[in-house]
Amino acid sequence: MSNTNKNGTNKNAPKSRKGPRPIMTVAMLREKMLKELMVKELRKIDRKMTKLLRSEKILEAKLSSTRIAMDNLRIMRVEYSTEMKD
């Protein structure tokens, strides 16, 4: 015999609940709200960190290219100064 009722739904589904839903206590509600707020704040922090890491990588690349350019200029300066001495 099947476990379906008149509507064709399963009476004994694993997530089905027998009886009314329990009433949440104030402490349970407070804990649930606190968890939700903490998750929300963690997401904000993660977004900010991602943004800062991205900008840090961009700045590191700029700094690296600036250092390379300075090194090239130093080499050129040395070459020109040695040419002038000769």
Side-chain angles (χ1 to χ4, degrees):
M1 182 139 205
S2 167
N3 285 333
T4 58
N5 60 13
K6 295 180 236 173
N7 302 344
T9 57
N10 191 350
K11 288 188 288 188
N12 301 327
K15 290 186 179 180
S16 68
R17 176 180 273 293
K18 293 182 181 177
R21 292 195 176 273
I23 298 171
M24 287 186 126
T25 62
V26 174
M28 290 168 70
L29 281 170
R30 187 178 295 129
E31 185 177 335
K32 182 181 176 185
M33 289 174 60
L34 185 62
K35 249 184 202 177
E36 289 171 355
L37 287 172
M38 286 172 57
V39 166
K40 195 174 182 180
E41 288 300 315
L42 281 172
R43 283 188 190 132
K44 282 183 187 176
I45 291 169
D46 286 343
R47 278 194 298 267
K48 285 182 182 179
M49 283 184 65
T50 304
K51 192 175 181 180
L52 289 173
L53 285 171
R54 214 178 298 131
S55 66
E56 182 183 29
K57 285 182 182 178
I58 291 169
L59 290 173
E60 284 176 354
K62 286 181 180 178
L63 181 62
S64 174
S65 65
T66 303
R67 285 188 176 147
I68 290 170
M70 286 178 64
D71 289 342
N72 290 340
L73 287 173
R74 281 190 193 112
I75 292 168
M76 289 171 60
R77 186 177 189 286
V78 169
E79 286 176 359
Y80 282 120
S81 65
T82 54
E83 286 291 323
M84 289 186 66
K85 287 179 184 176
D86 291 342

